[in-house]
Amino acid sequence: MQQSFTYPNGLPFLKMHGLGNDFVIIDARAEESPLTPELARAIGERHFGVGYDQLVVLTSAGDADAAMVFWNSDGSLSNACGNATRCIAQLLMDEAGQEEITLRSGNGLLQALRGADGRISVNMGHPQLSWQDVPLAQDEDLISLPIDGSPGAAGMGNPHCVFVVDDLASVDLEAQGAAIESHPLFPEKTNVEFIQVLDRSTIRQRTFERGAGVTLACGSGACAVAVVAHRKGLTERKVRIELDGGVLDIDWRADGVWMTGATQLVFSGVLAPEFLEASL
Ligand SMILES: N[C@H](CCC[C@H](N)C(=O)O)C(=O)O
Protein backbone atom coordinates (compact mmCIF):
# COMPACT_ATOMS: atom_id res chain seq x y z
CA MET A 1 0.00 0.00 0.00
CA GLN A 2 1.62 3.28 -1.08
CA GLN A 3 1.78 5.72 1.85
CA SER A 4 1.67 9.47 1.12
CA PHE A 5 3.65 10.08 4.33
CA THR A 6 7.43 10.37 4.04
CA TYR A 7 10.20 10.51 6.64
CA PRO A 8 12.87 12.79 5.10
CA ASN A 9 14.83 12.86 8.37
CA GLY A 10 14.40 9.20 9.20
CA LEU A 11 12.38 7.92 12.16
CA PRO A 12 13.83 7.85 15.71
CA PHE A 13 13.02 4.82 17.88
CA LEU A 14 13.91 3.24 21.19
CA LYS A 15 14.63 -0.45 21.81
CA MET A 16 13.46 -1.88 25.14
CA HIS A 17 12.60 -5.26 26.59
CA GLY A 18 10.64 -6.73 29.45
CA LEU A 19 12.16 -10.11 30.38
CA GLY A 20 13.46 -10.56 26.84
CA ASN A 21 10.10 -9.75 25.21
CA ASP A 22 11.51 -7.03 23.00
CA PHE A 23 10.02 -3.84 21.64
CA VAL A 24 10.65 -1.01 19.22
CA ILE A 25 9.05 2.19 20.51
CA ILE A 26 8.16 5.10 18.23
CA ASP A 27 7.26 8.31 20.05
CA ALA A 28 4.56 10.01 17.96
CA ARG A 29 3.30 12.26 20.77
CA ALA A 30 4.72 15.41 19.16
CA GLU A 31 4.55 14.44 15.50
CA GLU A 32 2.38 11.98 13.58
CA SER A 33 4.27 8.84 12.55
CA PRO A 34 1.79 6.70 10.60
CA LEU A 35 2.76 3.09 10.03
CA THR A 36 1.54 0.55 7.52
CA PRO A 37 1.53 -3.22 8.17
CA GLU A 38 4.25 -3.46 5.50
CA LEU A 39 6.46 -0.93 7.32
CA ALA A 40 5.78 -2.55 10.70
CA ARG A 41 6.84 -5.93 9.27
CA ALA A 42 9.96 -4.44 7.66
CA ILE A 43 11.07 -2.84 10.96
CA GLY A 44 10.45 -6.17 12.69
CA GLU A 45 12.76 -8.12 10.39
CA ARG A 46 15.56 -9.47 12.63
CA HIS A 47 18.13 -9.32 9.79
CA PHE A 48 16.88 -6.72 7.34
CA GLY A 49 15.38 -4.39 9.95
CA VAL A 50 15.66 -3.74 13.70
CA GLY A 51 13.74 -6.77 14.97
CA TYR A 52 11.10 -6.86 17.72
CA ASP A 53 8.29 -8.96 19.15
CA GLN A 54 6.03 -5.90 19.26
CA LEU A 55 6.29 -2.31 18.02
CA VAL A 56 4.62 0.37 20.14
CA VAL A 57 3.50 3.73 18.73
CA LEU A 58 3.12 6.29 21.53
CA THR A 59 0.58 9.08 20.98
CA SER A 60 -0.80 11.83 23.19
CA ALA A 61 -4.08 11.17 25.01
CA GLY A 62 -6.51 13.62 26.61
CA ASP A 63 -7.37 11.29 29.49
CA ALA A 64 -3.97 9.65 30.13
CA ASP A 65 -0.25 10.42 30.13
CA ALA A 66 -0.02 8.73 26.73
CA ALA A 67 -1.80 6.25 24.47
CA MET A 68 -0.25 3.12 22.98
CA VAL A 69 -0.87 1.22 19.74
CA PHE A 70 0.64 -2.30 19.63
CA TRP A 71 1.84 -3.96 16.41
CA ASN A 72 2.98 -7.59 16.29
CA SER A 73 5.98 -8.44 14.13
CA ASP A 74 3.64 -10.01 11.53
CA GLY A 75 2.01 -6.60 11.01
CA SER A 76 -1.15 -7.39 12.99
CA LEU A 77 -2.49 -5.18 15.79
CA SER A 78 -3.28 -6.08 19.40
CA ASN A 79 -5.25 -4.26 22.09
CA ALA A 80 -2.90 -5.40 24.84
CA CYS A 81 0.79 -5.93 25.49
CA GLY A 82 1.68 -6.23 29.16
CA ASN A 83 5.47 -6.21 28.95
CA ALA A 84 5.50 -3.28 26.53
CA THR A 85 3.10 -1.38 28.80
CA ARG A 86 5.56 -1.82 31.65
CA CYS A 87 8.41 -0.53 29.43
CA ILE A 88 6.41 2.53 28.35
CA ALA A 89 5.51 3.21 31.97
CA GLN A 90 9.19 3.16 32.97
CA LEU A 91 10.02 5.52 30.09
CA LEU A 92 7.33 8.05 31.00
CA MET A 93 8.03 7.86 34.73
CA ASP A 94 11.74 8.52 34.09
CA GLU A 95 10.83 11.38 31.71
CA ALA A 96 8.37 13.02 34.14
CA GLY A 97 10.12 12.13 37.40
CA GLN A 98 6.91 10.42 38.53
CA GLU A 99 6.34 7.06 40.23
CA GLU A 100 2.81 6.60 38.84
CA ILE A 101 1.52 6.84 35.25
CA THR A 102 -1.81 6.29 33.48
CA LEU A 103 -1.70 4.83 29.98
CA ARG A 104 -4.48 4.34 27.43
CA SER A 105 -4.46 1.04 25.54
CA GLY A 106 -6.96 -0.73 23.30
CA ASN A 107 -8.14 -2.40 26.53
CA GLY A 108 -8.88 0.87 28.36
CA LEU A 109 -6.96 2.97 30.89
CA LEU A 110 -4.12 1.20 32.70
CA GLN A 111 -2.50 2.38 35.93
CA ALA A 112 1.24 1.80 36.36
CA LEU A 113 3.39 2.17 39.49
CA ARG A 114 7.12 1.86 40.20
CA GLY A 115 7.97 -0.20 43.25
CA ALA A 116 10.76 0.34 45.77
CA ASP A 117 12.77 -2.34 43.97
CA GLY A 118 12.49 -0.38 40.70
CA ARG A 119 10.21 -2.94 39.08
CA ILE A 120 7.12 -1.67 37.26
CA SER A 121 3.60 -2.84 38.16
CA VAL A 122 0.63 -2.44 35.82
CA ASN A 123 -3.04 -3.10 36.51
CA MET A 124 -3.97 -4.93 33.31
CA GLY A 125 -7.68 -4.71 34.13
CA HIS A 126 -10.27 -7.40 34.67
CA PRO A 127 -10.07 -10.64 32.65
CA GLN A 128 -12.65 -11.38 29.97
CA LEU A 129 -14.10 -14.82 30.79
CA SER A 130 -17.23 -15.18 28.67
CA TRP A 131 -16.77 -16.94 25.32
CA GLN A 132 -18.06 -13.83 23.53
CA ASP A 133 -15.41 -11.62 25.15
CA VAL A 134 -12.30 -13.81 24.91
CA PRO A 135 -13.50 -14.29 22.08
CA LEU A 136 -14.26 -17.91 21.24
CA ALA A 137 -16.39 -19.18 18.34
CA GLN A 138 -19.73 -20.19 19.82
CA ASP A 139 -20.08 -23.42 17.87
CA GLU A 140 -16.76 -24.90 19.01
CA ASP A 141 -15.57 -26.11 22.41
CA LEU A 142 -12.23 -26.00 24.16
CA ILE A 143 -12.17 -29.81 24.37
CA SER A 144 -12.13 -29.90 20.56
CA LEU A 145 -8.57 -28.56 20.65
CA PRO A 146 -6.05 -31.08 19.30
CA ILE A 147 -3.81 -30.96 22.38
CA ASP A 148 -4.11 -32.66 25.79
CA GLY A 149 -3.60 -30.51 28.82
CA SER A 150 -6.95 -29.33 30.20
CA PRO A 151 -7.13 -26.05 28.26
CA GLY A 152 -8.59 -22.83 29.61
CA ALA A 153 -9.24 -19.53 27.83
CA ALA A 154 -9.26 -15.94 29.06
CA GLY A 155 -9.00 -12.48 27.53
CA MET A 156 -6.86 -9.62 28.81
CA GLY A 157 -7.84 -7.30 25.99
CA ASN A 158 -6.33 -10.00 23.79
CA PRO A 159 -7.20 -13.71 23.60
CA HIS A 160 -5.24 -16.42 25.44
CA CYS A 161 -5.52 -20.19 25.41
CA VAL A 162 -3.75 -21.88 28.34
CA PHE A 163 -2.75 -25.57 28.48
CA VAL A 164 -1.79 -27.14 31.82
CA VAL A 165 0.75 -29.91 31.18
CA ASP A 166 2.74 -32.24 33.46
CA ASP A 167 6.05 -31.70 31.67
CA LEU A 168 6.81 -28.59 29.61
CA ALA A 169 9.81 -30.37 28.04
CA SER A 170 7.32 -32.57 26.17
CA VAL A 171 5.69 -29.60 24.43
CA ASP A 172 6.61 -28.81 20.81
CA LEU A 173 6.05 -25.08 21.34
CA GLU A 174 6.50 -23.97 17.71
CA ALA A 175 4.28 -26.64 16.14
CA GLN A 176 1.63 -26.91 18.85
CA GLY A 177 1.55 -23.15 19.42
CA ALA A 178 1.08 -22.44 15.73
CA ALA A 179 -1.72 -25.03 15.46
CA ILE A 180 -3.70 -23.41 18.29
CA GLU A 181 -2.94 -19.81 17.30
CA SER A 182 -5.05 -20.17 14.14
CA HIS A 183 -7.56 -22.80 15.34
CA PRO A 184 -11.16 -22.01 14.24
CA LEU A 185 -12.17 -21.89 17.92
CA PHE A 186 -10.53 -18.43 18.00
CA PRO A 187 -12.12 -16.04 15.48
CA GLU A 188 -9.42 -13.42 16.24
CA LYS A 189 -6.67 -16.09 16.57
CA THR A 190 -5.06 -16.48 20.01
CA ASN A 191 -1.93 -16.33 22.11
CA VAL A 192 -1.02 -19.77 23.44
CA GLU A 193 0.51 -20.51 26.84
CA PHE A 194 1.72 -23.90 28.10
CA ILE A 195 2.15 -24.08 31.86
CA GLN A 196 3.45 -26.45 34.52
CA VAL A 197 2.13 -25.71 38.02
CA LEU A 198 5.09 -26.11 40.40
CA ASP A 199 3.10 -25.31 43.56
CA ARG A 200 0.07 -23.21 44.55
CA SER A 201 2.14 -20.01 44.21
CA THR A 202 4.53 -20.84 41.37
CA ILE A 203 3.96 -21.54 37.67
CA ARG A 204 6.41 -22.21 34.85
CA GLN A 205 5.12 -20.74 31.55
CA ARG A 206 6.22 -20.97 27.93
CA THR A 207 4.54 -18.85 25.27
CA PHE A 208 3.64 -18.86 21.58
CA GLU A 209 2.32 -15.37 20.85
CA ARG A 210 -0.33 -14.48 18.26
CA GLY A 211 1.39 -12.59 15.47
CA ALA A 212 4.90 -13.03 16.89
CA GLY A 213 5.55 -16.73 17.57
CA VAL A 214 7.67 -18.03 20.46
CA THR A 215 8.69 -15.23 22.83
CA LEU A 216 10.76 -15.24 26.03
CA ALA A 217 7.92 -13.69 28.02
CA CYS A 218 4.32 -12.54 27.60
CA GLY A 219 2.83 -10.18 30.19
CA SER A 220 -0.84 -10.35 29.21
CA GLY A 221 -0.29 -14.11 28.85
CA ALA A 222 1.02 -14.36 32.41
CA CYS A 223 -2.10 -12.52 33.61
CA ALA A 224 -4.36 -14.91 31.69
CA VAL A 225 -2.36 -17.88 33.04
CA ALA A 226 -2.82 -16.70 36.63
CA VAL A 227 -6.58 -16.32 36.07
CA VAL A 228 -7.05 -19.71 34.37
CA ALA A 229 -4.88 -21.57 36.91
CA HIS A 230 -6.75 -20.02 39.85
CA ARG A 231 -10.16 -20.75 38.30
CA LYS A 232 -9.08 -24.37 37.89
CA GLY A 233 -8.31 -24.43 41.64
CA LEU A 234 -4.58 -25.02 41.00
CA THR A 235 -3.09 -21.83 42.43
CA GLU A 236 -3.71 -18.81 44.68
CA ARG A 237 -4.72 -15.44 43.22
CA LYS A 238 -1.13 -14.26 43.74
CA VAL A 239 1.48 -16.25 41.84
CA ARG A 240 5.08 -16.02 40.66
CA ILE A 241 5.37 -16.95 36.99
CA GLU A 242 8.73 -18.22 35.72
CA LEU A 243 9.13 -17.49 31.99
CA ASP A 244 12.04 -18.23 29.69
CA GLY A 245 13.21 -14.60 30.01
CA GLY A 246 12.61 -14.02 33.71
CA VAL A 247 9.97 -13.74 36.42
CA LEU A 248 6.63 -11.91 36.59
CA ASP A 249 4.63 -11.54 39.81
CA ILE A 250 0.88 -11.59 39.17
CA ASP A 251 -1.79 -10.64 41.69
CA TRP A 252 -5.45 -11.00 40.68
CA ARG A 253 -7.05 -8.42 42.92
CA ALA A 254 -10.56 -7.02 43.22
CA ASP A 255 -9.56 -4.02 41.02
CA GLY A 256 -7.90 -6.06 38.29
CA VAL A 257 -4.95 -8.30 37.44
CA TRP A 258 -1.68 -6.65 38.56
CA MET A 259 1.55 -7.66 36.82
CA THR A 260 5.01 -6.74 38.17
CA GLY A 261 8.38 -7.23 36.53
CA ALA A 262 11.65 -5.73 35.31
CA THR A 263 12.10 -3.50 32.26
CA GLN A 264 15.21 -2.38 30.36
CA LEU A 265 16.06 0.39 27.90
CA VAL A 266 18.65 -1.08 25.50
CA PHE A 267 19.41 1.55 22.83
CA SER A 268 18.05 4.43 20.76
CA GLY A 269 18.39 4.73 17.00
CA VAL A 270 17.06 6.31 13.83
CA LEU A 271 15.48 4.33 10.99
CA ALA A 272 17.17 5.62 7.85
CA PRO A 273 15.06 7.52 5.26
CA GLU A 274 16.13 5.11 2.50
CA PHE A 275 15.10 2.12 4.64
CA LEU A 276 11.70 3.69 5.30
CA GLU A 277 11.23 4.69 1.67
CA ALA A 278 11.92 1.14 0.55
CA SER A 279 9.53 -0.31 3.16
CA LEU A 280 6.47 1.89 2.74
N1 LIG B 1 0.97 -11.06 20.62
C1 LIG B 1 -0.03 -10.43 21.47
C2 LIG B 1 0.38 -8.98 21.84
C3 LIG B 1 1.63 -8.91 22.73
C4 LIG B 1 1.47 -9.63 24.04
C5 LIG B 1 2.73 -9.79 24.90
N2 LIG B 1 3.98 -9.40 24.31
C6 LIG B 1 2.54 -9.16 26.28
O1 LIG B 1 3.55 -8.83 26.95
O2 LIG B 1 1.38 -9.07 26.72
C7 LIG B 1 -1.40 -10.41 20.74
O3 LIG B 1 -1.42 -10.38 19.51
O4 LIG B 1 -2.41 -10.40 21.45
Side-chain angles (χ1 to χ4, degrees), residues 21 23 53-54 70 72 76-84 124 158-160 191 209-212 215 217-221:
N21 192 197
F23 311 109
D53 289 330
Q54 278 80 40
F70 303 119
N72 286 308
S76 63
L77 290 165
S78 174
N79 284 330
C81 182
N83 287 323
M124 291 291 286
N158 56 354
H160 295 272
N191 299 283
E209 284 196 33
R210 176 180 67 169
T215 62
C218 178
S220 56

Side-chain angles (χ1 to χ4, degrees), residues 53-54 73 173-174 181 207-216:
D53 289 330
Q54 278 80 40
S73 52
L173 189 55
E174 279 287 354
E181 178 198 19
T207 314
F208 184 98
E209 284 196 33
R210 176 180 67 169
V214 174
T215 62
L216 297 180

Side-chain angles (χ1 to χ4, degrees), residues 79-113:
N79 284 330
C81 182
N83 287 323
T85 301
R86 292 191 299 101
C87 287
I88 298 296
Q90 179 211 318
L91 216 54
L92 269 59
M93 287 181 198
D94 291 350
E95 182 184 79
Q98 293 173 202
E99 299 310 295
E100 181 174 347
I101 286 283
T102 301
L103 295 168
R104 172 158 289 286
S105 72
N107 192 37
L109 287 176
L110 307 177
Q111 184 192 9
L113 308 168

Side-chain angles (χ1 to χ4, degrees), residues 6-26:
T6 60
Y7 296 95
N9 302 316
L11 185 58
F13 68 89
L14 294 175
K15 189 78 189 323
M16 296 189 77
H17 76 82
L19 312 180
N21 192 197
D22 67 329
F23 311 109
V24 162
I25 295 162
I26 291 172

